[in-house]
Amino acid sequence: MKQIIAVISGIFLIASLSYASTPEELSKSYFDFMKEDQWDKLVELYDPSALRDMREMLSFFSEVPDEMAPQMLAQFFGPGMTKATLKTMSDTDFFSSFFKGVMAQAEQLGQLEFKQVDILGTVPEGENLRHVLARTHAKLGDMTMETMEVVSFKKTEGGWKILMQGKIKGMAQQLKKMFSRG
């Protein structure tokens, strides 16, 4: 019975996020999901075309040499990942697995922990774009960090969806360069 209630609650949570009325509300959910390591829920907030574009940028993972593939794919997508499995994943599952892998590495290096997020405001850009400014507080090992983040949203038929951040795109480009030299 508890499992049924948990599933129903999850469905209502996701449905309520889909219809959240403002980018600020979605930004808060985005950072809460990040703080709680709920990558599957976090990627559901992204615009599907942004996920597709990001997958394209990371397509080099499907082309790594077979001798490197098991270790590299496990490192970035989780244990037991294969090139064949990677190709069959949905864009959402692909990015969620990638996020989990990258954040797991960051946590191993210094126990990355998101502490608090303050939503500071929104900058509209035309009718269908909004940029939400947030101050994040995190801890990496003994070091406390405060950063400013901008989360951009596009209004779609299904509501507001997150666009891919430039720093995530930059990370994909850096990884591709690193592995193409390797």
Side-chain angles (χ1 to χ4, degrees):
M1 186 62 162
K2 287 182 182 180
Q3 289 178 332
I4 293 171
I5 292 171
V7 169
I8 291 171
S9 298
I11 291 169
F12 282 122
L13 174 64
I14 291 169
S16 68
L17 289 173
S18 305
Y19 296 103
S21 59
T22 68
E24 292 88 350
E25 292 169 343
L26 287 170
S27 292
K28 179 75 173 112
S29 296
Y30 173 82
F31 288 112
D32 286 346
F33 290 153
M34 190 176 288
K35 182 178 175 182
E36 297 163 8
D37 295 334
Q38 294 183 349
W39 309 113
D40 295 337
K41 291 180 181 178
L42 182 137
V43 299
E44 291 292 332
L45 300 175
Y46 277 89
D47 179 58
S49 63
L51 293 176
R52 195 171 30 259
D53 292 346
M54 187 64 183
R55 184 175 188 156
E56 177 92 11
M57 293 179 78
L58 295 170
S59 65
F60 66 88
F61 278 109
S62 297
E63 300 162 4
V64 296
D66 290 339
E67 63 274 4
M68 293 175 60
Q71 180 182 359
M72 186 185 303
L73 295 178
Q75 183 177 6
F76 286 95
F77 293 94
M81 185 59 67
T82 65
K83 291 193 289 186
T85 304
L86 203 61
K87 289 179 182 179
T88 63
M89 295 172 85
S90 69
D91 294 339
T92 303
D93 290 340
F94 180 93
F95 194 59
S96 176
S97 294
F98 179 73
F99 239 145
K100 286 177 198 175
V102 169
M103 294 309 290
Q105 289 179 56
E107 288 173 4
Q108 287 175 355
L109 291 174
Q111 297 304 313
L112 178 65
E113 188 178 350
F114 292 97
K115 293 290 190 182
Q116 177 182 337
V117 175
D118 303 314
I119 304 298
L120 302 176
T122 303
V123 177
E125 184 179 342
E127 290 287 319
N128 297 319
L129 284 176
R130 297 287 182 273
H131 308 283
V132 177
L133 179 63
R135 180 180 294 122
T136 62
H137 306 268
K139 187 174 180 185
L140 182 60
D142 293 334
M143 183 174 63
T144 301
M145 301 178 296
E146 183 178 301
T147 61
M148 300 300 280
E149 300 286 337
V150 175
V151 183
S152 297
F153 291 85
K154 172 181 160 183
K155 192 171 192 176
T156 67
E157 290 179 18
W160 292 100
K161 293 290 187 177
I162 297 175
L163 299 174
M164 200 58 62
Q165 293 173 296
K167 68 182 180 181
I168 296 175
K169 290 180 182 179
M171 178 184 61
Q173 293 167 346
Q174 288 301 109
L175 283 171
K176 184 175 182 174
K177 284 181 188 176
M178 185 173 78
F179 290 118
S180 64
R181 286 186 229 146

